[in-house]
Amino acid sequence: MLTRRSLGALGAAALFLTTALPALAEPIVIKFSHVVAPDTPKGKGAAKFEELAEKYTNGAVDVQVYPNSQLYKDKEELEALQLGAVQMLAPSLAKFGPLGAQEFEVFDLPYIFDGYEALHKVTQGEVGKALFAKLEDKGITGLAYWDNGFKIMSANSPLNTPDDFLGLKMRIQSSKVLEAEMNALGAVPQVMAFSEVYQALQTGVVDGTENPPSNMFTQKMHEVQKHATISNHGYLGYAVIVNKKFWDGLDPEVRAGLEQAMTEATDYANGIAKEENDKALQAMKDAGKTEFHELTPEEKALWVEALTPVHDEMASRIGAETIAAVKAATGSGS
Ligand code: LMR
């Protein structure tokens, strides 16, 4: 590829050429900011996208991944994307409410997906596309859905039945559905940026939290939580999004290369998510700091009974038709 450096080596005549062809010389920078560790499904997906995007655009694009809230925390990163300070993000689906896209909170409803297969019928189908369309007038284009996994609950006391949550301060992401979920359990929900959770757990600002094992492990939350219940009561995944003006302004050939990179990075990220979470859970069990509890069928029935009323309670916020569309896609009825 023609670069400023290689042309510079040709001497003064070539210098004239470089100024005539500035677009070929400077790669287009895509800043991709996220809040989790590199060694997670999202972190690895972002690294894969970086590698493939640079390959498929022949170096016309330089993807710079900033993990671990290095650039921005949860709320700030969405503002930065809209302002064009970063070009790409992959926020969790629970973080779109403050943007005015509260339909995405459908993914937070307890027990709405009974596994990855049911979830993929939504994220890889028409409902997923329709949700992305709702972002366009906010200056955002949705590119892909990336999996993380199903959440476990943790605290310093056992969490076997809903009664065990009474009065516990539980950190949540900025989703009204998660707020309703914790209220339904009798807990006190507290919205907090992901980067602040470890310290809040360590100092007792909050008593517990929920997250898939990969996030819990890579943030070392298991070192400050004595108990965890493998409840799989809800899903946490991502929408990879890009600043619409930036995306629409790209040369079509470059955009096609990025789309190909995103398709392959998505297959990769979604292919490793379950295994990454299984490995993280095993690593936390091996570390021996947290006692992990599997729900008995009787306990699970109590969780389901306490949490499923959240579906009706949140229907007016999410939109009853969105909830019905998700349930129709997964085959779980409406
Ligand atoms: C959280 O805030 O708990 C998660 O959204 C973090 C993430 O991006 O996985």
Side-chain angles (χ1 to χ4, degrees):
M1 186 215 158
L2 210 51
T3 65
R4 202 182 280 284
R5 197 178 301 150
S6 60
L7 283 171
L10 294 174
L15 210 60
F16 164 76
L17 241 185
T18 52
T19 45
L21 292 170
L24 287 175
E26 299 293 338
I28 301 158
V29 172
I30 296 184
K31 290 189 182 172
F32 187 157
S33 173
H34 70 81
V35 300
V36 297
D39 198 17
T40 54
K42 176 161 64 177
K44 291 185 173 184
K48 178 60 83 183
F49 174 71
E50 174 180 359
E51 173 201 324
L52 296 175
E54 293 175 2
K55 180 169 145 197
Y56 293 147
T57 63
N58 288 323
V61 163
D62 173 17
V63 179
Q64 299 173 358
V65 179
Y66 297 91
N68 269 328
S69 309
Q70 253 169 39
L71 280 189
Y72 300 105
K73 296 196 224 172
D74 305 337
K75 190 165 160 284
E76 292 80 8
E77 70 172 15
L78 281 157
E79 289 160 5
L81 184 84
Q82 285 182 300
L83 291 171
V86 293
Q87 288 69 41
M88 201 175 272
L89 307 173
S92 110
L93 300 162
K95 292 179 185 167
F96 285 77
L99 270 183
Q102 62 269 26
E103 297 89 346
F104 282 78
E105 291 179 3
V106 72
F107 290 100
D108 300 330
L109 287 172
Y111 299 114
I112 193 158
F113 305 110
D114 62 11
Y116 285 101
E117 206 184 311
L119 166 85
H120 289 161
K121 292 187 176 149
V122 175
T123 52
Q124 295 171 11
E126 290 310 310
V127 183
K129 266 192 218 142
L131 286 170
F132 274 165
K134 303 202 183 275
L135 298 175
E136 292 284 316
D137 67 358
K138 302 177 196 324
I140 293 172
T141 297
L143 297 180
Y145 291 96
W146 283 1
D147 288 339
N148 190 333
F150 291 85
K151 293 178 285 187
I152 60 184
M153 290 278 199
S154 67
N156 280 319
S157 47
L159 300 171
N160 301 351
T161 70
D163 287 350
D164 295 328
F165 285 83
L166 199 63
L168 290 187
K169 279 179 277 159
M170 298 293 286
R171 179 271 171 173
I172 54 164
Q173 307 172 80
S174 60
S175 157
K176 293 288 175 200
V177 170
L178 299 180
E179 195 176 305
E181 169 201 279
M182 289 301 178
N183 283 330
L185 292 169
V188 183
Q190 222 157 299
V191 175
M192 187 179 288
F194 185 65
S195 56
E196 291 162 12
V197 180
Y198 174 86
Q199 209 185 357
L201 290 170
Q202 189 187 36
T203 56
V205 168
V206 290
D207 300 304
T209 189
E210 57 168 15
N211 240 302
S214 59
N215 276 349
M216 186 173 173
F217 177 60
T218 51
Q219 297 297 316
K220 300 188 179 6
M221 292 179 200
H222 63 292
E223 293 183 0
V224 288
Q225 295 278 264
K226 290 196 177 66
H227 293 270
T229 295
I230 305 166
S231 46
N232 296 324
H233 60 282
Y235 172 74
L236 190 154
Y238 310 105
V240 187
I241 54 176
V242 69
N243 178 293
K244 177 174 159 53
K245 199 162 155 225
F246 168 79
W247 191 248
D248 292 347
L250 288 172
D251 176 274
E253 233 177 89
V254 169
R255 198 166 48 233
L258 294 177
E259 277 165 356
Q260 181 60 25
M262 185 54 68
T263 301
E264 290 180 30
T266 299
D267 287 347
Y268 167 79
N270 292 350
I272 62 166
K274 182 174 184 308
E275 195 190 330
E276 290 290 314
N277 277 300
D278 290 348
K279 277 196 303 200
L281 182 58
Q282 190 56 50
M284 290 191 287
K285 285 180 177 169
D286 293 347
K289 305 222 170 186
T290 314
E291 201 171 304
F292 286 90
H293 177 67
E294 303 263 2
L295 293 176
T296 65
E298 292 75 26
E299 287 166 350
K300 166 116 188 249
L302 293 174
W303 282 60
V304 171
E305 188 187 333
L307 288 173
T308 42
V310 172
H311 292 214
D312 283 343
E313 202 186 312
M314 287 289 115
S316 62
R317 175 174 171 83
I318 297 167
E321 60 299 337
T322 300
I323 300 178
V326 166
K327 291 185 177 178
T330 61
S332 64
S334 58

